[in-house]
Amino acid sequence: MVKEILVDVDLKETRVAIVKNNKLSEIYFERENDNQVVGNIYKGIVTDVLPGMQAAFVNVGLEKNVFLHVSDALALVSDEKRNKNLSIQEVVQPGQKIMVQITKEPLGSKGARVTCDLNLPGRYLVLMVTMDHIGISRRITDSQKRNRLKEITQGFKPDDKGLIVRTAAADKSSAALKRDFNFLIKLWEKIVHHYHNSEAPALLHSDLNLASKIVRDKFTKKIDRVLIDDREEYQDIIELLDFISPSLKSKVQFYDRTKPIFEYYNLEPAIDKTLKRQVWLDCGGYIVVDITEALTSIDVNTGKYVGDTDLADTVLKTNKEAAREIAKQLKLRDIGGIIIIDFIDMDNTEDQKEVLAVLDEELQKDKTKTTILGLTELGLVEMTRKKEKEGVEEFLQKPCPYCDGKGRVLSEDTMALRAIRKLRDLFAEQNDEAVLLEVHPQVAARLIGLGGNNLKELEAELDRHIYVKGSEELHIEEIDIVETGSKKAIAELASPVEVGERKKLEIEEPHVTNKQDGISRIEGFIIDVTDGGHLVGEKVEVEITDVYRTYAKAKVIRNI
C-alpha cells in the first residue's frame, strides 16, 4: 500500500491530505483567519467561579472565555488534596492568575475547554508537566519494546514530571529519545519564563502550524512520500525534520507541476463527496449519513445489491461492507459525539456479532478514541467518538440561510398556493386591475399551468389581469409582488420584448410538449423559438413574432 501526505498551501488556506493508494483517507484544513488553538498555553485570569457547574471561566484573551472544569484544575492543588472530592471554590477564585492549555477548540456557541494538566508533545515523547508517570503508547504492543522504552525514559525523566512515549518512538535509539526530551524541557523552561514576565491574559506558547503538526505527528517510516507545493513550507518542514527525524528528509519532495496538487491527485471530487449524505458501497448498497446537533445517525440500505444466495447472506455482506465504510467515513469526516447506526435487520445473532466485530476491527485503526456501546433493543448500534474540533462538514459548510438547517424547502405546488393566497389578500384591499408577480420559474410554471389554464382560472376568480414572471435569481420560497396598476402599464412592464424586435439569445432547452421548438428566456420571460429544438446550447438571433401574457413566439434569423 502506497501512503502519501500531500500539502496544498494557499494564501488563505492550507490543506493536508493523507492518501492511501491514491484514495483520500484523511483531510485537514487550516485557514488564515481561523484560531487553531488546541495545544496553546496561556496565562489567564479566572473571571467566574460557578459552583452549580463545578467549573470556572477563564479570560485568556480569546473572543470567548474558556471553560475549566474542576477535574481539569486539580493540578493547582497539592498532591495530598488531589484525591479528595474538592469543589471548584476550593481550587480557584475570581481574579486568580493561572496557566492553562486548550484541549478542545471552540465549537458553535461554546468557548474552548482548558486544563491545568499541561502537556508538550514532541516527535517521540510527550512531556507531562504536572504528572509523575511514564506511559507507553497502546499501539506499541510488543512487550520487549515497551520494557526497553520504559527503561530508557526512566533514565532521564525528572522526579516531578511525566513522559508519554509516542508510537513513532517504537524503534528509536536512546539518543533520539533523549534529544527529544531535552528539546521539550528547554521549551517548558521558556514557557515558565514567559509566564513570570507577562501580564495576563497572554499567550505563552502556540503549537505548530497544520503542515508541521501533521509531519510531527503522522510522518513515520510507513509514509512513502510527503509532497508540498509551497517552497517556504517545504523548507520549514525540512528544517523541522533536521531536528526530529533527519532520516525521513529524503521522502519529502517539492511539488512544482503546473496543475494544482489536489487536482493532479483528483482529490477535489473526493473532498466534495465527504459532504454527501449518501455514500455508495462497492456491492451496490449504500449508507446515509445525517449529522445533527445532538447526534449523527447512519442508515444502511441494500440499494441495488441483490446478492448471490439468500436474503440473510445479502444482508450480512452489505452490513459488513457498510461497517468498513462507516469507520472510514467517521475518520474522513472527523465525526464526533454520539453516533447511532441502523444496520439492515439481522435475525441471526451470530451475524450481528460478526458485523460488530468488523466495525470494531476497523475502528481500532482510528487514533481518535471510539467506544461501541452495543445493540439497543431496537437493533441500533450505539457508539461514541471523541469530538475535539469541527468535522469536515462543519468546517466547510454553514447552516442554510433559506431552510434554516432543515435540509428541505417548500415544494413548487405549496409555493404556488401561497402565491395565490397572497394575491387574494392583495386584491381584497385594493382595486388595481392588474399585477406583476415574480417567482421562481418552477413556481411560475405551476401558477400558469399547461396552456395557461391555471392562470385563466385565477384571473376569472379574482377578476384581475395577472402577469407572472419567472426568475432564476429568486429562491424557490420567495414571492415578489413587483407592481400593481392598470392593465396597459403592467403589460408593458411584464413583457421585455415587442413584436418585430430582434434579440440575440441562447436556446436553453427543448419545449416540454413541442420538442421541435426551443425555449429561451429574457429576464425570466419565456421565448418560444419556432423550430429551435435542435439548437439547444447554441446562440442565435431571433425575431419576435407574437407576444402573449406569459411568453413570446420568435423565429430564428441566423446562428451566431
Side-chain angles (χ1 to χ4, degrees):
M1 175 183 289
V2 178
K3 194 172 180 181
E4 298 172 297
I5 296 176
L6 309 179
V7 181
D8 172 41
V9 181
D10 201 350
L11 287 174
K12 301 292 184 181
E13 180 181 60
T14 296
R15 300 183 295 177
V16 180
I18 297 179
V19 178
K20 296 180 181 178
N21 287 342
N22 292 323
K23 289 188 177 181
L24 184 65
S25 174
E26 299 174 49
I27 182 73
Y28 302 89
F29 304 86
E30 185 174 74
R31 289 182 178 160
E32 181 185 48
N33 297 324
D34 289 338
N35 291 320
Q36 303 290 331
V37 295
V38 165
N40 287 2
I41 297 176
Y42 297 85
K43 182 177 184 178
I45 307 172
V46 178
T47 57
D48 298 288
V49 176
L50 306 176
M53 298 176 65
Q54 283 298 295
F57 284 96
V58 184
N59 177 12
V60 297
L62 298 178
E63 183 179 348
K64 295 176 182 176
N65 289 344
V66 297
F67 178 84
L68 175 67
H69 190 264
V70 65
S71 60
D72 294 316
L74 296 179
L76 298 175
V77 301
S78 63
D79 293 341
E80 298 77 31
K81 291 183 178 180
R82 288 188 190 184
N83 295 326
K84 297 181 179 179
N85 190 21
L86 297 177
S87 65
I88 189 65
Q89 306 100 300
E90 295 175 279
V91 180
V92 294
Q93 293 80 39
Q96 183 177 347
K97 295 177 177 62
I98 58 175
M99 195 186 302
V100 295
Q101 185 172 33
I102 307 288
T103 57
K104 281 189 178 181
E105 295 278 359
L107 293 174
S109 60
K110 298 178 181 178
R113 182 160 180 165
V114 297
T115 182
C116 295
D117 289 315
L118 310 178
N119 295 325
L120 293 176
R123 172 66 167 171
Y124 306 121
L125 304 172
V126 177
L127 177 66
M128 297 185 291
V129 176
T130 58
M131 301 182 73
D132 182 8
H133 171 71
I134 292 178
I136 311 293
S137 168
R138 59 185 173 86
R139 294 182 179 274
I140 301 175
T141 55
D142 186 284
S143 59
Q144 289 186 339
K145 288 184 179 181
R146 294 178 66 88
N147 291 335
R148 183 185 76 90
L149 292 168
K150 190 164 187 178
E151 184 178 339
I152 291 172
T153 50
Q154 281 176 334
F156 53 72
K157 185 192 80 68
D159 293 336
D160 60 342
K161 293 177 177 58
L163 292 171
I164 296 174
V165 181
R166 307 187 74 175
T167 307
D171 299 309
K172 295 302 172 181
S173 66
S174 174
L177 299 182
K178 185 63 162 51
R179 185 169 60 247
D180 204 33
F181 169 75
N182 289 338
F183 167 76
L184 294 175
I185 282 293
K186 288 179 181 178
L187 177 59
W188 171 240
E189 291 171 352
K190 182 180 177 181
I191 292 170
V192 171
H193 176 78
H194 196 180
Y195 177 83
H196 290 301
N197 292 274
S198 300
E199 291 295 327
L203 173 64
L204 305 178
H205 165 74
S206 58
D207 207 351
L208 299 171
N209 67 17
L210 176 63
S212 296
K213 194 183 297 183
I214 294 294
V215 167
R216 180 193 69 192
D217 296 343
K218 295 181 178 289
F219 186 24
T220 66
K221 62 183 180 181
K222 293 181 180 180
I223 300 292
D224 296 282
R225 182 169 61 164
V226 176
L227 271 179
I228 306 169
D229 68 357
D230 180 80
R231 180 67 69 180
E232 185 177 344
E233 190 67 60
Y234 168 80
Q235 293 296 341
D236 288 345
I237 295 301
I238 291 296
E239 289 177 14
L240 177 65
L241 289 171
D242 272 333
F243 175 76
I244 65 172
S245 193
S247 62
L248 293 176
K249 286 168 56 180
S250 61
K251 291 187 176 184
V252 181
Q253 298 176 16
F254 176 65
Y255 177 89
D256 58 357
R257 295 177 184 269
T258 304
K259 196 170 188 178
I261 186 170
F262 273 32
E263 287 187 28
Y264 183 82
Y265 279 83
N266 199 32
L267 294 183
E268 301 293 1
I271 294 171
D272 289 340
K273 284 183 180 179
T274 64
L275 305 175
K276 301 290 187 184
R277 288 183 67 236
Q278 188 168 300
V279 180
W280 285 97
L281 306 174
D282 291 338
C283 69
Y286 63 91
I287 64 174
V288 177
V289 182
D290 284 307
I291 301 174
T292 70
E293 189 170 345
L295 53 81
T296 296
S297 67
I298 302 176
D299 187 38
V300 182
N301 299 273
T302 52
K304 297 178 286 188
Y305 181 52
V306 294
D308 300 318
T309 53
D310 54 30
L311 178 60
D313 182 68
T314 300
V315 168
L316 177 60
K317 288 182 178 178
T318 304
N319 281 340
K320 287 172 67 176
E321 187 174 337
R324 298 186 188 96
E325 186 63 35
I326 288 168
K328 174 184 172 183
Q329 290 296 322
L330 293 178
K331 184 177 182 180
L332 180 58
R333 301 179 187 222
D334 201 8
I335 296 172
I338 301 171
I339 300 160
I340 302 295
I341 306 171
D342 186 8
F343 285 107
I344 305 167
D345 289 342
M346 296 171 285
D347 296 327
N348 189 323
T349 304
E350 292 304 314
D351 288 353
Q352 293 176 357
K353 291 180 179 178
E354 190 172 346
V355 170
L356 286 178
V358 171
L359 179 63
D360 184 58
E361 180 182 354
E362 294 299 315
L363 290 174
Q364 292 297 323
K365 302 173 185 177
D366 189 351
K367 289 187 177 180
T368 301
K369 183 180 179 181
T370 58
T371 305
I372 299 176
L373 303 175
L375 284 167
T376 69
E377 292 183 6
L378 296 175
L380 305 174
V381 174
E382 287 184 317
M383 63 171 289
T384 61
R385 185 174 187 270
K386 189 175 181 181
K387 186 178 182 71
E388 296 179 338
K389 60 183 178 66
E390 288 180 318
V392 173
E393 181 178 272
E394 295 167 295
F395 185 86
L396 295 180
Q397 296 179 319
K398 69 173 188 177
C400 174
Y402 299 108
C403 72
D404 195 27
K406 296 191 300 292
R408 301 175 70 86
V409 294
L410 297 174
S411 68
E412 296 88 346
D413 289 328
T414 299
M415 289 309 303
L417 291 170
R418 288 194 174 188
I420 291 170
R421 286 194 287 270
K422 192 166 187 175
L423 290 174
R424 286 175 182 149
D425 292 341
L426 175 69
F427 289 122
E429 297 176 356
Q430 52 108 318
N431 295 317
D432 286 336
E433 63 178 346
V435 62
L436 173 58
L437 181 75
E438 191 171 16
V439 292
H440 189 275
Q442 294 175 9
V443 179
R446 297 294 199 279
L447 281 170
I448 295 168
L450 190 63
N453 289 333
N454 292 349
L455 188 58
K456 291 174 186 176
E457 291 179 5
L458 183 60
E459 287 183 322
E461 176 196 336
L462 299 177
D463 193 23
R464 298 289 196 282
H465 297 281
I466 301 171
Y467 294 82
V468 179
K469 186 176 180 181
S471 173
E472 290 282 359
E473 295 181 359
L474 286 183
H475 185 268
I476 198 168
E477 293 185 350
E478 287 186 76
I479 301 170
D480 186 11
I481 303 294
V482 178
E483 192 68 75
T484 61
S486 67
K487 178 184 176 183
K488 181 181 179 181
I490 298 302
E492 291 176 354
L493 183 64
S495 176
V497 296
E498 297 178 356
V499 173
E501 189 176 4
R502 290 192 174 188
K503 292 284 186 181
K504 295 178 180 179
L505 45 79
E506 181 178 332
I507 307 298
E508 299 173 8
E509 57 192 0
H511 194 286
V512 175
T513 56
N514 181 9
K515 300 296 183 182
Q516 289 184 336
D517 288 0
I519 295 296
S520 185
R521 292 176 179 84
I522 298 176
E523 298 176 15
F525 191 76
I526 294 174
I527 310 296
D528 182 349
V529 182
T530 303
D531 296 327
H534 68 290
L535 298 173
V536 172
E538 297 186 24
K539 292 183 178 180
V540 296
E541 184 178 7
V542 302
E543 181 180 321
I544 305 300
T545 57
D546 297 282
V547 178
Y548 302 97
R549 181 79 58 78
T550 57
Y551 73 101
K553 295 279 290 184
K555 63 180 181 181
V556 176
I557 303 299
R558 65 185 179 92
N559 285 38
I560 300 175

